[in-house]
């Protein structure tokens, strides 16, 4: 049957498995809203398009399905470009659908006009395209959804002219199976090379990134059979059990990890960019052969040594085959005592660099359910926690790595909580970054989400102040007058508490998981028993 194209798009998304859309309606995109309820889609009203984008991001990370957002022409799109950039950095499948003006070349002064909004969005996503017919809109939606499944997932932007959204359009085509896998077939030769390399090495070291989270159970077994030490990037936390005797923790950015890597005679990297935000130094520090497995050819084009070997493929399929080919190996040069000593030293350094945070991390970790999903902001609390807090399972701590935007935690946690009703979700933010998106408390209250929001309030941009001092710059513009956060939360209709001790904090978080609305938990600078 014919419907306006805007309505057809919502029906098509529902047909393709989309059940939740985040966004804000406006006069330019109202036709997208014509079909939402009829299609059976839940719409989450954000307070700002940036919030809608982060909600879609958080939803995608929690559900494994694409996060979808509807925004208007011009400022609606520019407002969501920050979340798009974050999703690009962190490989998150987000589809943004916006309206656009019918033409911009011959007319000036139109509402929400930009010179080239499609090109602007293209700077922060995988691709940005304009559909000039219903068939093009349908094809681009299917293309985006197929690429989310078959390639490294990154955000896409589709814009549709306003008049086209309101025009009658024939029904979208039925879903077809493309048969595309997107990944190279398992390379038996690569499996053999990796197996032989691990078997021959005396001090093999494995680096696990976010791309290794699928099939995480194989890696502790490989470490045992090969006698390999393992270090995770922040995105790979939870793949290895925190108490594994050969696990170095999420300590790759520690300067001392360079010394550990220099002692390895083989480095195997699985599913990691080895980017600046993974290392915080110019080079990894290895002086031995390296094998890298990744699904992204771009990552494999950056060999740092002549004997580095790059393997394009599905990390899980390859490493599962490697596990099957490995026999138990005799004890190697890595000793659990040296691993434990390294981890203890790294923890002590983290505690000394940003005092007072480690005890709070320990207290929270002791009481949170294992399936708690955590969303953190750019804050000193998260910087310490990502290193010292061993996660019980992978893919349950999400942080705005790479693009590094403030204001991520609260709206992303809302999206995560929507994706996992009845399961615990926690947001962690600093006092300054929280104010980038605090208006999304209204959305969380409307939804009745039992969401604890841990607010680390040190009354300043402490990380920037510390950086200025380290650079011998007199601290400037790092202190801002904060509101009464508890009163502000209550004004939105949320609960609020200011725990006076770690024991009080533990109980407050557990109570917040059972509440009928979000709870702001302000701690400053750190409670003590």
């Amino acid at each position: 049957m014919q419907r306006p194209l805007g309505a057809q798009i919502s029906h098509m998304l529902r047909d393709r498995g989309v059940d939740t859309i985040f966004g804000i309606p406006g006069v330019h995109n109202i036709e997208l809203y014509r079909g939402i309820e009829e299609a059976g889609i839940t719409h989450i009203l954000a307070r700002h398009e940036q919030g809608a984008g982060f909600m879609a991001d958080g939803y995608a990370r929690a559900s494994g399905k694409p996060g979808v957002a509807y925004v208007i022409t011009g400022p609606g799109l520019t407002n969501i470009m920050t979340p798009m950039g974050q999703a690009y950095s962190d490989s998150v499948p987000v589809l943004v659908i916006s309206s656009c003006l019918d033409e911009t070349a011959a007319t000036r002064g139109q509402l929400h006009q930009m010179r080239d909004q499609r090109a602007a969005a293209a700077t922060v996503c995988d691709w940005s395209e304009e559909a000039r017919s219903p068939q093009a809109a349908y094809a681009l939606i299917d293309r985006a959804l197929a690429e989310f499944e078959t390639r490294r997932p990154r955000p896409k932007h589709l814009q549709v002219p306003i008049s086209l959204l309101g025009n009658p359009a024939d029904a979208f085509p039925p879903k077809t199976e493309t048969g595309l896998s997107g990944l190279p077939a398992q390379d038996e030769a690569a499996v053999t090379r990796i197996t032989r390399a691990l078997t021959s090495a005396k001090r093999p070291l494995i680096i696990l990134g976010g791309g290794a989270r699928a099939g995480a159970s194989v890696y502790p077994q490989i470490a045992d059979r090969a006698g390999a030490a393992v270090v995770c990037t922040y995105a790979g936390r939870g793949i290895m059990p925190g108490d594994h005797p050969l696990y170095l923790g999420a300590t790759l950015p520690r300067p001392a990890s360079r010394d550990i890597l220099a002692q390895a005679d083989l480095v195997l990297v699985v599913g990691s960019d080895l980017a600046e935000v993974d290392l915080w130094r110019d080079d990894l520090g290895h002086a031995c052969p390296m094998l890298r497995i990744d699904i992204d050819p771009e990552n494999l084009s950056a060999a740092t040594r002549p004997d580095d070997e790059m393997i394009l493929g599905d990390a899980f399929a390859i490493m599962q085959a490697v596990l099957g080919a490995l026999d138990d190996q005799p004890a190697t040069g890595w000793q659990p005592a040296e691993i434990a000593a390294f981890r203890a030293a790294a923890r002590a350094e983290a505690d000394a660099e940003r005092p007072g945070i480690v005890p709070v991390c320990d207290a929270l970790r002791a009481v949170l359910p294992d399936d708690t999903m955590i969303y953190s902001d750019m804050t000193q609390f998260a910087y310490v926690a990502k290193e010292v807090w061993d996660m019980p399972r992978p893919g349950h701590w999400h942080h705005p790595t790479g693009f590094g935007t403030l204001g991520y935690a609260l709206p992303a946690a809302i999206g995560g909580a929507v994706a996992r009703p009845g399961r615990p979700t926690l947001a962690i933010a600093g006092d300054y970054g929280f104010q980038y998106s605090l208006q999304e408390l209204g959305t969380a209250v409307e939804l009745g989400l039992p969401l604890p929001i841990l607010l680390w309030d040190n009354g300043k941009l402490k990380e920037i102040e510390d950086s200025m001092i380290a650079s011998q710059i007199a601290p400037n513009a790092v202190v801002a007058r904060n509101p009464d956060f508890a009163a502000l939360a209550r004004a939105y209709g949320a609960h609020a508490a200011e725990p006076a001790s770690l024991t009080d904090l533990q109980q407050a978080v557990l109570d917040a998981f059972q509440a009928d609305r979000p709870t702001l938990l302000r701690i400053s600078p750190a409670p003590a028993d």
Side-chain angles (χ1 to χ4, degrees), residues 22 52-62 67 83 86-87 90 92-94 375 398 408 412:
F22 304 87
F54 286 144
M55 289 177 197
D57 174 299
Y59 176 92
R61 298 193 200 212
Q86 191 60 63
D90 289 351
V92 182
V94 172
Y375 293 84
H398 305 290
Y408 172 81

Side-chain angles (χ1 to χ4, degrees), residues 267-315:
V267 173
L268 173 61
V269 183
V270 185
S272 173
D273 290 357
L274 295 183
E276 178 189 42
V277 292
D278 294 319
L279 305 179
W280 294 114
R281 57 178 180 269
D282 293 335
D283 64 281
L284 187 60
H286 66 299
C288 63
M290 175 197 285
L291 296 170
R292 288 186 67 176
I293 309 169
D294 208 287
I295 65 170
D296 188 346
E298 184 178 342
N299 282 344
L300 301 179
S301 63
T304 56
R305 293 171 51 87
D307 49 3
D308 289 351
E309 184 173 351
M310 309 301 179
I311 300 168
L312 182 67
D314 182 339

